[in-house]
Amino acid sequence: GAGVSQTPSNKVTEKGKYVELRCDPISGHTALYWYRQSLGQGPEFLIYFQGTGAADDSGLPNDRFFAVRPEGSVSTLKIQRTERGDSAVYLCASSPTKNTGELFFGEGSRLTVL
Amino acid sequence: AQSVTQPDIHITVSEGASLELRCNYSYGATPYLFWYVQSPGQGLQLLLKYFSGDTLVQGIKGFEAEFKRSQSSFNLRKPSVHWSDAAEYFCAVVPSGAGSYQLTFGKGTKLSVIP
């Protein structure tokens, strides 16, 4: 597709379950970012990939959160033992190698933990 | 730590009226500055950005923003609002010279437009 694609668009799960959220960036974009947007807040940075490696994971809130990008394209955000406080919209963004400062965002995956 | 303040949570304007959305930042040095718009059912879209140079920057959809160093502000303006501008607007910053764009966002301002 032409833009950043995120699946699922909505995910409802129970407390304690494991969740995976997928991001398919714009073709050729080497940088990939995950953000989390809670209700009434702006997006908060979670993790940044340059190629296959996590260049900065300082925003991950705890060790229940993990993200991978094994082939330098699609990324998966993994959340273990979900808690109600993990409920939010998870946004993925990508940008080209020669960055002009513009991030291209997907529509997000809305996670609800019951 | 850097922070971004958008003092107005919700603004309502009439179609055709002018608009100004406020943004203040707190950071040791002048960061790179951005405005993004989030429309229902769509991803965040970049409206404009400021890195250096002319302090009045033009963006898409008829928006402009002015950087004022003395006030640590980067307010967004539009002379005549259209109904399609109803959305949520986010100001964001990143340290200047950063090799990547781990943006720090404000909490956003929701814009409603009255026909």
Side-chain angles (χ1 to χ4, degrees), chain A residues 33 35 56 99-101 107, chain B residues 34 36 38 41 49 101-103:
Chain A
Y33 302 78
Y35 286 81
D56 185 343
N99 202 327
T100 60
E107 294 182 29
Chain B
F34 306 82
Y36 278 81
Q38 189 174 39
K49 62 190 178 189
Y101 292 89
Q102 288 112 290
L103 300 169

Side-chain angles (χ1 to χ4, degrees), chain B residues 36-58:
Chain B
Y36 278 81
V37 60
Q38 189 174 39
S39 300
Q42 298 185 25
L44 285 154
Q45 181 183 22
L46 179 68
L47 285 176
L48 45 77
K49 62 190 178 189
Y50 174 79
F51 284 8
S52 64
D54 192 347
T55 56
L56 185 63
V57 293
Q58 303 296 321

